[in-house]
Amino acid sequence: MAPSLFPPQLHVFVRDWLSANNVLLRSADGHVLIDTGYVRHAPLTLALVASERGIGAAPLAWIVNTHCHSDHIGGNAAIAAKYGCPIAVPAREAPLVEQWDQKALLYDYCDQRAERFTVDQAIGPDTTHVWGDLEWRALAAPGHDMGALVFHNAEQRILISGDALWENGFGFVMPMEVDAAALPAARATLEMLSNLDIRVVIPGHGEPFTDVKGALERALARVAAFEADSLRVARHALKVNLTFALLDQRRLPLADMPAYFDRVGLYHDFNALFFRLPASDLAGLLIGKLERAGAVKREAGWLVPANPTAG
Ligand SMILES: [Zn+2]
């Protein structure tokens, strides 16, 4: 067996693109779970946490979120209800959750679902937390989400990166015209991460990886491509969100897609800002691109994911 990348009290439940990975940090002082997946997968998340690789029948002390997008907080309410444990979120997002600002949090605005939960603690950047007998420094990681945090353990050189850095890229960012600060922040966050001592990254999606330098290079190259072409940023955001909606809803009726693009805020607003096309043309354009990329297919009047993922 390959030597483990992690100390024994740290376990990563690698999930899929609908549910972000869950990081369990076990300790006699109380177990902590970082990120809880998407709401539709909440029963599976509960089962994983209570499994042998999880905490079995023991209590959970805290839920912590890297950021409050739907695929990271979807199990918060169900897990907090089961364990009676408090929830900590990044300080910049706490008021958005308290107001349940579904546009700022990109829930109904992107046709995503989430179960409302209560914030018990707001975590500020540059604060230190002991979870799983390890000291974690919370660092601001704006870009994909302007309030996001990453957590760094200097001793084991582990980074819990959320959607700020993946092995191949990072979570979609807003175009300049929507948020002028987003892309510069994504670049600054990657530059900040390249100055940290990191042996292994636990990303929000995908397997943990150790080629940190390579991942940072790929991510910075993507930022540069985005900086050169705002329309590409906008198209990417829409494609990612449409693929996500298909993973969530399994299939969408093709005949309804123009109305869907008019109805769902993100598509409607981006079309008005960037594309200025009849909704049916924009739908056709994006679906065509996703089909050619092998992400979606048309099946008897339905748009379906080309590679449906389970779990
Ligand atoms: Zn995200």
Side-chain angles (χ1 to χ4, degrees):
M1 213 171 92
S4 176
L5 291 170
F6 303 115
Q9 72 270 31
L10 188 161
H11 184 79
V12 185
F13 293 103
V14 176
R15 306 292 293 274
D16 59 11
W17 290 95
L18 188 59
S19 276
N21 294 339
N22 319 126
V23 185
L24 186 60
L25 292 154
R26 289 173 291 225
S27 166
D29 295 332
H31 306 311
V32 176
L33 183 69
I34 300 183
D35 286 345
T36 64
Y38 190 69
V39 65
R40 194 162 66 76
H41 288 164
L44 175 57
T45 308
L46 279 166
L48 291 172
V49 171
S51 71
E52 276 311 304
R53 285 180 306 158
I55 58 175
L60 187 68
W62 277 98
I63 293 168
V64 176
N65 295 120
T66 57
H67 63 294
C68 291
H69 285 163
S70 66
D71 51 330
H72 296 255
I73 55 82
N76 279 19
I79 295 169
K82 174 173 173 182
Y83 292 98
C85 64
I87 299 173
V89 306
R92 190 163 160 170
E93 305 214 293
L96 305 178
V97 174
E98 276 153 15
Q99 295 150 24
W100 206 242
D101 184 337
Q102 294 220 42
K103 182 173 183 198
L105 293 166
L106 305 181
Y107 299 160
D108 66 356
Y109 183 70
C110 292
D111 188 32
Q112 296 175 12
R113 270 144 290 283
E115 191 177 354
R116 195 161 181 169
F117 61 94
T118 306
V119 173
D120 300 283
Q121 190 193 341
I123 300 183
D126 302 314
T127 55
T128 300
H129 309 264
V130 178
W131 300 322
D133 303 323
L134 298 165
E135 195 173 278
W136 299 90
R137 186 132 187 96
L139 299 163
H144 161 69
D145 180 302
M146 295 307 282
L149 296 174
V150 295
F151 303 114
H152 182 237
N153 172 261
E155 184 202 347
Q156 298 270 344
R157 300 154 62 215
I158 301 170
L159 180 77
I160 298 172
S161 67
D163 292 348
L165 176 67
W166 299 335
E167 190 164 12
N168 280 298
F170 46 83
F172 75 90
V173 287
M174 287 296 175
M176 287 291 283
E177 293 79 353
V178 175
D179 184 350
L183 208 44
R187 173 178 283 285
T189 289
L190 294 170
E191 284 163 359
M192 180 275 289
L193 294 179
S194 49
N195 288 320
L196 286 183
D197 188 8
I198 305 168
R199 176 179 58 87
V200 53
V201 174
I202 303 171
H205 304 270
E207 296 283 342
F209 59 89
T210 54
D211 180 15
V212 184
K213 192 164 169 280
L216 284 164
E217 280 169 9
R218 286 187 289 275
L220 282 162
R222 170 163 288 199
V223 166
F226 279 173
E227 285 164 346
D229 185 355
S230 212
L231 213 54
R232 179 171 169 174
V233 187
R235 261 195 320 264
H236 179 252
L238 295 190
K239 284 191 293 187
V240 166
N241 273 278
L242 188 57
T243 307
F244 188 85
L246 280 173
L247 290 177
D248 177 18
Q249 296 164 56
R250 310 284 173 103
R251 58 182 196 171
L252 293 166
L254 275 165
D256 183 51
M257 291 315 293
Y260 182 90
F261 273 56
D262 260 339
R263 182 169 75 237
V264 179
L266 179 79
Y267 305 91
H268 180 269
D269 289 356
F270 275 37
N271 194 10
L273 259 174
F274 297 101
F275 305 102
R276 301 185 193 96
L277 292 170
S280 55
D281 290 2
L282 180 60
L285 183 109
L286 285 176
I287 290 168
K289 280 188 181 293
L290 286 170
E291 271 182 320
R292 287 192 292 279
V296 305
K297 55 189 179 188
R298 298 167 202 247
E299 227 172 59
W302 295 93
L303 185 64
V304 298
N307 296 300
T309 47

